[in-house]
Amino acid sequence: MAEPFKMALPSLMQHLGVLEDSSLVRSEKVGRVRTYKLTQETMRVGEDWFVRQRTLWERRLNQLDSYLLEMKEKENGKD
């Protein structure tokens, strides 16, 4: 199971445990087989948060870009 990720199985299981603790995945064990599934609602909440953060940072970076362009124009006007 861990081979495609180039990590040891205990490390992969630890990562899956963190994802399960944060409700991003849930697992079900039947016999010796444990199946993991994404938790859609939690993933949706996370996606919404990322969209809000991206929007915020895009606005801030656009403001910084405008400010720097303004400063450059002022500096070029002094020459």
Side-chain angles (χ1 to χ4, degrees):
M1 181 170 139
E3 187 176 325
F5 301 104
K6 297 182 180 171
M7 62 173 40
L9 183 58
S11 297
L12 180 64
M13 297 307 295
Q14 185 177 13
H15 284 284
L16 288 171
V18 170
L19 292 174
E20 192 166 17
D21 290 345
S22 63
S23 299
L24 291 172
V25 299
R26 60 184 167 89
S27 70
E28 180 181 331
K29 187 173 182 180
V30 177
R32 295 177 50 197
V33 177
R34 182 171 292 277
T35 304
Y36 287 86
K37 294 182 182 181
L38 292 173
T39 308
Q40 290 183 3
E41 183 56 34
T42 306
M43 295 294 282
R44 197 171 299 116
V45 169
E47 181 182 17
D48 292 345
W49 182 85
F50 278 114
V51 167
R52 286 191 310 273
Q53 293 303 306
R54 182 173 55 192
T55 302
L56 171 73
W57 281 103
E58 283 177 350
R59 189 180 78 241
R60 288 178 177 178
L61 289 172
N62 286 337
Q63 289 172 342
L64 176 61
D65 188 48
S66 295
Y67 175 75
L68 292 174
L69 286 172
E70 183 181 315
M71 296 301 291
K72 185 176 181 180
E73 287 174 9
K74 286 180 181 179
E75 187 175 294
N76 287 340
K78 290 181 179 180
D79 294 344

